Amino acid sequence: SSEDDGVDVFGRHVARAGVICSAHRPSVAQQTHVASATPGPVKSAMALKLGGTKAGGSKYFSTTKRGEIHELKQELHQIDATRKKEAVKKVIAAMTVGKDVSTLFPDVVSCMQTSNIELKKLVYLYVINYAKAQPEVAILAVNTFVKDASDPNPLIRALAVRTMGCIRLDEITEYLLERLRAACRDSDPYVRKTAGICIAKVYEINPELVEDQGFIDVLSRDLLGDGNPVVVANAVAALTEIQETSGRTLLDLDDRSGGVREKLFAALLESTEWGQVFILDALAKLDPRDEKDACDAIERIKPRLTHANPAVVLASIKVVLKLMDRVRNKEQLRAFCKKLNPPLITLLSCEKEIQYVALRNILLIVQKWPAILAADVKMFFCKYSDPIYVKMQKVDIMVHLASERNVDQVLKELKDYAMEVDVDFVRKAIRAIGRCAIKLERAAETCIEKLSELLENCQRHVIQTAVVVIKDIFRKYPTKFETVLRQVCEHIDELDEPEAKASMIWILGEYAERISNVEELLDSYLDGFHDEEQSVQLALLSATVKLFLKNPECQDMVARVLKQATEETTDPDIRDRGYIYWRMLSTNPELTKQVVLSDKPQIKDDGRPFDRTVLDKLLEDISLMSSVYHQLPSQFVTRMTQPARDDSDDEDAREKARAIKEELDRGTPDRERDGSRSPREDSPRGRHHDSDSDSDGQRRRDRDRDRDRERDRDRDRGDRGDRGRDRDRGGDEREGKAKAENSNGGGMMDLLGLDGDYDPFASPSPAAAPAAAPRTRVELTQVLGADKLGPTSQKGGLRILAAIERVNGETVMQLRFENQSSDRTMSGFAIQINKNPFGLAPKGALEVRPVAPGGASDATLGLVPGQLLSGQPLTNPLYLQVAIKHDVDVFYFTVQHHLESVLTEVSGVDREAFRAKWQEWQGERMAAFSGVAGRVWNTDALMEHLKTANIVFVAARQADGEEKSYFSSTLVNNLVVLVEVGVSGENVRVVVRAQVPVLLPHMQQSMARLLGLSQLRQ
């Protein structure tokens, strides 16, 4: 297939939030990887591949007899090519269904020497899957790869390069470089487009080598300007992948001098459908210069809206919506909205799975651009044949599109849904009626009428959901619709769900003066107080207090419930509320009446769960997984970003690259072809192993080892001002800058452990554009000394340095293991973390290379919150209790961390919500302190640099002679902290308000550390 390499990128795209379209059939390699997860469909697809037809290929999956591996081994050594091919097919089939056939690796590799393309593809597929498990044997296949890379057949050349790129072994990668360079200049476009994708694969293995060898320039200069649109599309896909991994801009769409934008638009017209998706994803990052530029770009993309592939349509819609943000002409916007309507409606006629993806994306679109589909609400009415997951999405969209012109139609449809059989769908429809009432005040009366009719339904789940919805309508319109109270109370005996009971009790307490038998109704619940759920008990407590304040004759009832809530319960929340009510009533009943019976804030429609910032980010990801999950990619995808390269290593890296190139140039292709030497001997890595006596190589290795030891000593000292990096660079300018920072009290570079010479806390120069702040690095500290003896073996020698930080949307633990023993290699490392307040737990297994005596090994462990919750309050300082096990013993230690390591990238608080929370969180949920910064902060500097710690800017104002900036942050457990920073010269005053008081001291410490404050005072 000419799209095999596009499929590979598509697979990675899905893994990180990729294009969704069930119309695409995965390649054989992808089907193999997902075999254990979806054996049924994979078996069918593989049967078609292996046997030509489903019936003919199914025979490869039917055998389960004993001794199968031995028989396959014999068949793989048959002379007959047909029988050998059948044996390889059986091996691939067994691998597909999850059987371990790695023991056959040498036997399958022996089948590579063949002119049969089908057999060669099958063998290459097997090698890709098991090369990591058998690296020593996989290297034996290098000669065949090298030979095939020069084959006259372009399919075989591309297959060889593609397979070598998929095998993640350094030995194979070293051989691939020259063949990959030749493939980029190949005369056949199929080979060139395969080479483009292969560059991205090699970058994942060894990014420094790809950059040093100039392959990035080959992609951006040669392949991106290729005359074949398929090659251009793959080059775009590879550059996008590398760009996201490295964090650098490689596709500069705003620079028209290089013509990158024009190349993409030209290739868009002739590319395959998946090539168009890659190009459109790249164009989504286009930043037009003005409104005319945006309109021109939209006109060039509009033809893609009528494409037959849903993925192309969704990707085009994404680009158009992004560009529409730059259009201010209302007539032009109206025309673009009209153009977007037909493709969105057309997606509803696709397969059910694609309908679901389209509906999830439409649900985001109508929140920002309701005018696109405002006149077509009928298109989202549910059909009898729709699956439940499609119906649920259509109901949400109907509510969003409901207006005063069409609400009657929508409510009539929703009432019909409320009479359906599916319980979940019925509840969804009834809640949608309530949302319409809250959203449209003029439709509230009609909604109450519909709900009243539903209350007469004999179905218990209908009645209970209707009671919950009516309670919400009462909260929105407290003085209206009281005529329905009697009808609601008639069904009190039919309520058995906690939410329905709590809603009914709230109604009884809120309207106690209008319900004649309210005491009797509440008393029926008090008899079983301790048998109810917590929500029901809390509702009973509040309702009874309200009843007493409205009717003091109910003193016995309130005394009874207060006793049950304080003396007889073990739930701390119920007990605390009971004591609060008791003390308020006994101290000042009139003041209590003003507090408890005060006007409640009106509720709003909860149909828009995202603030504007999050919604804009999700709209930028239309056609990706995040638009289906309605979550930002950082919340469910972990992307390993390559760290920024240290300039001090450039000379060393160039020297190593020159050595590798020289050794590659010394390779003799003739000897490789005739097989007179083993691949291990011919590989650059092998020559390193076999030339220990070589004086140049030995001196190079000694120099590398000395440099590593020097860096370790610098890290242990923890003095970033004296780091070996500055000594290696030796630049007078850098040294002077470091001295200036220290003399100015800059402790901030040392305090935060920032990596690099750029000080993100310095005020930006007015003549220069503000540079992006580097990622904050936390200094590794010793958590286990080498003198610590294991409890079982009484042996030591293991030194561990660790730190916890927030990297790429994930909390991670950075670890360094040093073996300071003299007689044994340490291996078999494993980790366990004790329960903790944030529930941080290892995301996966700890991967540490064996550590030889005198050696060291680094590891990064992702931490997932909410898994190992201790239920205990936060400690000060924050720390994790960790156990590390290796092949000798188990060691226990703690790793301290700052609050920044558990702050998420999304604040989740808009200005309106910030204002409400700021006014609400008073008293014990507020703390303030002040200090001297040693520099003058301004709003822009605060906004840019607190953002690196995931403290997000909300607003700013001038008040009381200070420039006040407001920020919010959200923890991994969804708790929110709000911050006010007031600046007057070098004096800084910080006010912190938190959802729970225990967070206050931690946020105070973080702000003092981030702002470099001294002379702190409360």
Side-chain angles (χ1 to χ4, degrees):
S1 169
S2 62
E3 296 181 9
D4 284 347
D5 292 288
V7 168
D8 290 338
V9 174
F10 170 70
R12 294 199 307 278
H13 217 52
V14 168
R16 73 171 193 270
V19 177
I20 300 297
C21 180
S22 61
H24 175 72
R25 179 170 59 84
S27 67
V28 176
Q30 287 177 312
Q31 292 165 355
T32 301
H33 291 313
V34 299
S36 60
T38 55
V42 171
K43 282 186 180 180
S44 299
M46 287 298 295
L48 290 171
K49 276 286 185 181
L50 297 177
T53 64
K54 192 169 181 179
S58 60
K59 63 181 181 180
Y60 297 105
F61 299 92
S62 59
T63 175
T64 57
K65 60 185 179 182
R66 290 188 175 184
E68 183 181 8
I69 299 297
H70 180 69
E71 291 184 7
L72 288 174
K73 183 184 290 286
Q74 292 181 340
E75 293 178 13
L76 288 171
H77 291 280
Q78 294 287 337
I79 298 177
D80 185 6
T82 303
R83 296 185 62 182
K84 183 181 294 187
K85 183 170 64 174
E86 290 296 310
V88 175
K89 287 183 178 181
K90 292 178 182 178
V91 173
I92 297 297
M95 180 180 70
T96 302
V97 298
K99 293 182 181 178
D100 184 10
V101 288
S102 59
T103 55
L104 297 174
F105 196 95
D107 308 283
V108 177
V109 169
S110 66
C111 301
M112 293 180 67
Q113 299 289 348
T114 178
S115 57
N116 188 305
I117 296 181
E118 181 183 3
L119 178 57
K120 191 179 289 289
K121 285 184 177 181
L122 292 172
V123 174
Y124 277 14
L125 174 61
Y126 177 91
V127 171
I128 291 173
N129 199 56
Y130 281 117
K132 277 192 174 182
Q134 303 275 357
E136 298 299 327
V137 184
I139 196 66
L140 299 176
V142 168
N143 286 338
T144 304
F145 290 143
V146 173
K147 180 180 177 182
D148 288 348
S150 303
D151 194 276
N153 189 334
L155 292 177
I156 294 181
R157 295 201 301 272
L159 181 63
V161 173
R162 176 188 174 200
T163 305
M164 293 172 72
C166 290
I167 300 176
R168 302 176 64 87
L169 294 175
D170 290 339
E171 293 87 345
I172 303 294
T173 303
E174 292 165 353
Y175 272 99
L176 174 63
L177 296 177
E178 292 305 318
R179 280 76 192 174
L180 182 57
R181 195 183 306 278
C184 292
R185 300 190 299 265
D186 197 280
S187 59
D188 193 282
Y190 179 72
V191 181
R192 297 199 300 273
K193 69 101 175 176
T194 304
I197 296 300
C198 191
I199 292 175
K201 294 178 180 178
V202 178
Y203 189 89
E204 293 179 356
I205 304 171
N206 195 332
E208 291 82 5
L209 193 59
V210 170
E211 294 184 11
D212 292 336
Q213 292 291 326
F215 283 113
I216 303 296
D217 294 334
V218 172
L219 273 175
S220 56
R221 183 185 64 248
D222 300 337
L223 299 185
L224 195 61
D226 198 279
N228 190 291
V230 177
V231 178
V232 175
N234 278 24
V236 170
L239 285 170
T240 303
E241 188 84 6
I242 296 173
Q243 184 172 265
E244 293 181 5
T245 303
S246 64
R248 295 183 298 153
T249 301
L250 302 178
L251 279 171
D252 188 4
L253 301 177
D254 301 326
D255 183 12
R256 292 204 169 198
S257 60
V260 175
R261 182 193 306 194
E262 293 303 318
K263 292 176 184 177
L264 297 189
F265 276 123
L268 185 64
L269 301 176
E270 304 178 17
S271 294
T272 62
E273 53 190 19
W274 295 111
Q276 293 180 40
V277 171
F278 296 135
I279 294 175
L280 288 168
D281 280 346
L283 290 173
K285 298 177 175 60
L286 179 65
D287 186 14
R289 294 174 298 178
D290 50 33
E291 182 174 348
K292 183 178 182 302
D293 192 20
C295 292
D296 292 342
I298 292 176
E299 291 295 334
R300 301 181 72 171
I301 293 171
K302 277 198 312 186
R304 303 300 98 197
L305 296 173
T306 59
H307 200 282
N309 190 312
V312 178
V313 174
L314 283 174
S316 304
I317 292 172
K318 171 173 61 178
V319 181
V320 172
L321 290 175
K322 175 76 178 301
L323 295 172
M324 283 172 60
D325 288 335
R326 301 295 297 273
V327 179
R328 296 292 177 265
N329 187 292
K330 293 184 178 179
E331 291 297 327
Q332 196 73 53
L333 279 175
R334 192 176 295 110
F336 290 150
C337 289
K338 189 176 180 180
K339 283 290 184 181
L340 289 175
N341 180 287
L344 288 172
I345 297 298
T346 303
L347 290 174
L348 300 181
S349 60
C350 298
E351 295 86 349
K352 301 301 181 184
E353 293 78 8
I354 299 208
Q355 282 189 45
Y356 175 77
V357 173
L359 290 169
R360 294 291 286 178
N361 284 271
I362 290 172
L363 191 55
L364 294 174
I365 294 172
V366 296
Q367 292 184 43
K368 185 174 182 179
W369 302 97
I372 296 176
L373 296 166
D376 292 288
V377 67
K378 285 186 177 181
M379 299 302 299
F380 299 96
F381 287 178
C382 300
K383 302 176 183 178
Y384 74 94
S385 58
D386 285 341
I388 185 63
Y389 55 84
V390 170
K391 290 182 178 180
M392 293 289 197
Q393 302 307 314
K394 286 186 174 181
V395 169
D396 282 334
I397 295 174
M398 287 168 58
V399 175
H400 279 289
L401 296 179
S403 63
E404 295 181 359
R405 291 181 299 176
N406 58 26
V407 69
D408 291 334
Q409 293 177 324
V410 172
L411 291 177
K412 183 178 180 298
E413 192 75 11
L414 291 174
K415 185 191 173 185
D416 291 339
Y417 300 160
M419 310 301 292
E420 293 281 349
V421 177
D422 190 287
V423 174
D424 292 334
F425 184 49
V426 169
R427 294 182 187 274
K428 184 82 171 180
I430 297 174
R431 292 182 185 275
I433 294 175
R435 289 174 57 191
C436 290
I438 295 172
K439 178 182 178 182
L440 304 170
E441 183 174 358
R442 292 186 181 181
E445 186 173 354
T446 306
C447 294
I448 284 290
E449 293 176 0
K450 301 292 184 184
L451 292 170
S452 298
E453 296 173 8
L454 292 174
L455 284 174
E456 302 303 324
N457 190 302
C458 60
Q459 298 293 329
R460 179 165 292 187
H461 63 274
V462 175
I463 296 173
Q464 298 194 113
T465 308
V467 169
V468 175
V469 171
I470 289 174
K471 182 262 296 183
D472 290 338
I473 296 177
F474 282 156
R475 291 182 61 190
K476 176 69 175 179
Y477 311 106
T479 60
K480 297 182 179 180
F481 315 122
E482 296 177 2
T483 55
V484 79
L485 285 173
R486 177 176 172 276
Q487 188 180 9
V488 172
C489 293
E490 289 176 353
H491 298 280
I492 190 170
D493 294 333
E494 301 178 45
L495 308 180
D496 55 10
E497 296 177 358
E499 186 180 13
K501 287 183 178 180
S503 299
M504 173 59 77
I505 294 170
W506 183 90
I507 293 173
L508 294 176
E510 195 70 18
Y511 296 94
E513 71 279 9
R514 293 174 176 83
I515 302 174
S516 58
N517 59 338
V518 62
E519 298 178 29
E520 178 184 347
L521 296 176
L522 281 177
D523 193 64
S524 63
Y525 284 108
L526 291 180
D527 293 336
F529 181 86
H530 296 296
D531 298 329
E532 300 290 352
E533 296 288 337
Q534 183 196 60
S535 59
V536 180
Q537 293 180 5
L538 291 172
L540 267 174
L541 179 58
S542 298
T544 308
V545 172
K546 290 179 183 178
L547 175 60
F548 170 72
L549 294 173
K550 295 177 180 180
N551 183 9
E553 296 179 359
C554 303
Q555 184 173 354
D556 293 340
M557 181 180 291
V558 73
R560 176 185 172 190
V561 74
L562 287 175
K563 182 178 180 181
Q564 290 176 322
T566 54
E567 298 178 4
E568 301 176 6
T569 187
T570 58
D571 190 307
D573 293 332
I574 298 172
R575 186 170 57 247
D576 290 348
R577 183 178 295 190
Y579 278 125
I580 290 173
Y581 279 140
W582 200 327
R583 289 168 183 168
M584 291 175 66
L585 291 171
S586 60
T587 303
N588 193 334
E590 286 302 320
L591 182 59
T592 303
K593 188 174 184 179
Q594 296 178 21
V595 173
V596 176
L597 301 182
S598 62
D599 293 335
K600 313 298 187 299
Q602 293 184 352
I603 64 172
K604 298 181 180 180
D605 176 27
D606 60 351
R608 296 189 178 183
F610 313 113
D611 61 28
R612 185 62 180 268
T613 303
V614 177
L615 180 60
D616 288 341
K617 290 182 179 179
L618 290 176
L619 286 173
E620 292 176 1
D621 290 338
I622 282 180
S623 79
L624 305 183
M625 289 292 290
S626 54
S627 67
V628 180
Y629 289 161
H630 287 187
Q631 294 179 354
L632 296 177
S634 59
Q635 296 178 264
F636 64 95
V637 174
T638 301
R639 168 168 286 279
M640 298 303 294
T641 301
Q642 299 293 338
R645 298 177 61 183
D646 193 344
D647 293 342
S648 65
D649 293 334
D650 283 351
E651 181 180 354
D652 194 36
R654 285 193 293 269
E655 180 181 349
K656 291 182 179 179
R658 283 195 299 268
I660 292 175
K661 188 175 186 306
E662 291 172 1
E663 290 166 350
L664 284 171
D665 293 340
R666 287 199 298 268
T668 54
D670 293 333
R671 299 178 69 181
E672 289 179 5
R673 292 193 186 97
D674 62 21
S676 60
R677 297 182 63 182
S678 71
R680 173 68 68 176
E681 292 172 341
D682 279 341
S683 72
R685 186 178 295 273
R687 282 193 291 271
H688 275 305
H689 286 298
D690 296 337
S691 58
D692 289 342
S693 60
D694 183 85
S695 58
D696 293 337
Q698 186 62 41
R699 283 194 298 271
R700 188 185 305 113
R701 286 190 292 275
D702 292 342
R703 186 168 61 254
D704 293 344
R705 185 164 55 251
D706 293 342
R707 184 183 293 107
D708 291 340
R709 291 175 177 173
E710 178 66 19
R711 287 176 179 169
D712 291 343
R713 287 194 294 270
D714 291 336
R715 183 184 292 108
D716 296 342
R717 283 194 295 267
D719 185 356
R720 300 190 66 86
D722 294 334
R723 291 196 60 157
R725 179 189 60 207
D726 295 331
R727 290 198 303 275
D728 289 341
R729 291 178 181 175
D732 296 336
E733 180 181 350
R734 294 183 178 88
E735 184 176 354
K737 182 177 180 178
K739 291 180 179 179
E741 289 169 349
N742 292 334
S743 64
N744 291 332
M748 296 191 239
M749 290 288 287
D750 297 340
L751 187 62
L752 290 176
L754 294 173
D755 204 3
D757 290 325
Y758 172 68
D759 182 3
F761 286 88
S763 299
S765 172
R775 182 170 66 83
T776 300
R777 302 289 304 211
V778 177
E779 185 71 23
L780 295 178
T781 58
Q782 178 175 303
V783 294
L784 181 71
D787 56 347
K788 178 71 173 180
L789 302 181
T792 304
S793 64
Q794 292 299 308
K795 294 182 179 180
L798 175 61
R799 181 172 182 257
I800 301 178
L801 296 90
I804 299 175
E805 58 182 335
R806 189 79 177 174
V807 179
N808 300 324
E810 180 184 36
T811 302
V812 300
M813 182 185 296
Q814 307 285 4
L815 293 160
R816 181 175 179 83
F817 298 87
E818 297 179 356
N819 185 352
Q820 297 188 4
S821 66
S822 59
D823 59 344
R824 66 184 184 280
T825 297
M826 298 180 181
S827 61
F829 288 89
I831 189 170
Q832 281 192 350
I833 297 176
N834 199 7
K835 292 181 178 181
N836 53 87
F838 293 105
L840 296 175
K843 184 176 182 180
L846 178 65
E847 298 182 1
V848 184
R849 294 181 289 103
V851 187
S857 179
D858 295 328
T860 300
L861 180 69
L863 300 177
V864 182
Q867 305 296 314
L868 295 173
L869 290 169
S870 63
Q872 300 297 319
L874 299 182
T875 58
N876 196 357
L878 299 172
Y879 64 85
L880 292 184
Q881 295 176 329
V882 182
I884 289 288
K885 172 186 175 299
H886 63 82
D887 55 354
V888 177
D889 214 324
V890 180
F891 296 89
Y892 304 90
F893 54 87
T894 60
V895 183
Q896 295 186 8
H897 63 100
H898 302 311
L899 191 66
E900 301 97 286
S901 63
V902 289
L903 297 181
T904 63
E905 284 63 30
V906 180
S907 70
V909 178
D910 56 19
R911 293 193 180 189
E912 185 175 349
F914 185 98
R915 187 181 297 108
K917 295 179 185 298
W918 187 264
Q919 295 173 354
E920 177 186 357
W921 295 348
Q922 303 281 347
E924 64 177 2
R925 293 197 283 183
M926 178 183 72
F929 70 98
S930 58
V932 179
R935 58 158 290 176
V936 178
W937 288 100
N938 57 45
T939 299
D940 291 337
L942 288 171
M943 178 174 60
E944 286 297 322
H945 304 303
L946 289 182
K947 184 170 63 176
T948 63
N950 295 329
I951 301 174
V952 183
F953 175 77
V954 177
R957 67 187 180 99
Q958 290 284 344
D960 303 328
E962 292 181 339
E963 184 178 4
K964 295 187 177 182
S965 304
Y966 296 88
F967 302 85
S968 69
S969 56
T970 303
L971 280 72
V972 294
N973 56 2
N974 295 322
L975 293 178
V976 177
V977 183
L978 309 179
V979 179
E980 176 193 80
V981 181
V983 178
S984 177
E986 294 186 355
N987 297 317
V988 178
R989 176 174 171 79
V990 180
V991 180
V992 180
R993 303 192 183 189
Q995 193 169 349
V996 292
V998 72
L999 291 174
L1000 294 175
H1002 297 286
M1003 196 62 178
Q1004 287 180 290
Q1005 295 168 9
S1006 294
M1007 292 301 298
R1009 182 169 53 253
L1010 291 170
L1011 300 180
L1013 301 183
S1014 60
Q1015 304 178 28
L1016 300 180
R1017 55 191 180 276
Q1018 297 296 326

